[in-house]
Amino acid sequence: LGQFRKNHPAVGAGIHKEISNKPYVFSRTYSKGKYIDLVVIGLELNKGKKEIPVGTIFKNGTKVKDTYSGKTATISKGKVTIDSDFDMVLIEKL
């Protein structure tokens, strides 16, 4: 979790936007000059296979990684499916 925060200024300094309330999924965005950082975080999710909405943060076809589990996936229909043993996701663009 600390490494994700270190790699993504959006976590600490970014703009927070709720994507869904249950499960709790939100985006954090940060930009300065030409630098743009976008992440989606999901908390209190079901363990196992989960479908996470990403709002407009990542376009369909974008390859992403859940850095918490190490799993990779592709955005489809505004969502990403991750199958992991954790109840949290930390999604970043690959």
Side-chain angles (χ1 to χ4, degrees):
L1 192 56
Q3 190 67 31
F4 185 77
R5 183 181 173 98
K6 179 182 172 189
N7 292 339
H8 294 286
V11 174
I15 296 169
H16 182 96
K17 183 176 179 186
E18 184 176 297
I19 295 172
S20 82
N21 186 20
K22 289 208 179 221
Y24 187 51
V25 178
F26 60 92
S27 66
R28 300 283 300 187
T29 59
Y30 174 82
S31 64
K32 186 172 185 177
K34 292 183 179 182
Y35 178 80
I36 298 173
D37 186 36
L38 310 168
V39 297
V40 172
I41 299 171
L43 305 173
E44 301 175 3
L45 305 168
N46 293 326
K47 294 180 180 180
K49 190 174 183 180
K50 51 195 128 304
E51 200 173 70
I52 300 106
V54 296
T56 58
I57 297 300
F58 301 119
K59 294 180 181 182
N60 291 333
T62 302
K63 294 184 181 192
V64 295
K65 178 179 182 179
D66 169 25
T67 59
Y68 201 73
S69 68
K71 305 277 179 121
T72 60
T74 301
I75 304 297
S76 177
K77 298 180 184 175
K79 299 177 183 178
V80 62
T81 301
I82 301 289
D83 190 350
S84 74
D85 294 331
F86 304 105
D87 63 355
M88 175 181 1
V89 294
L90 306 173
I91 307 292
E92 66 183 8
K93 185 177 176 180
L94 279 178

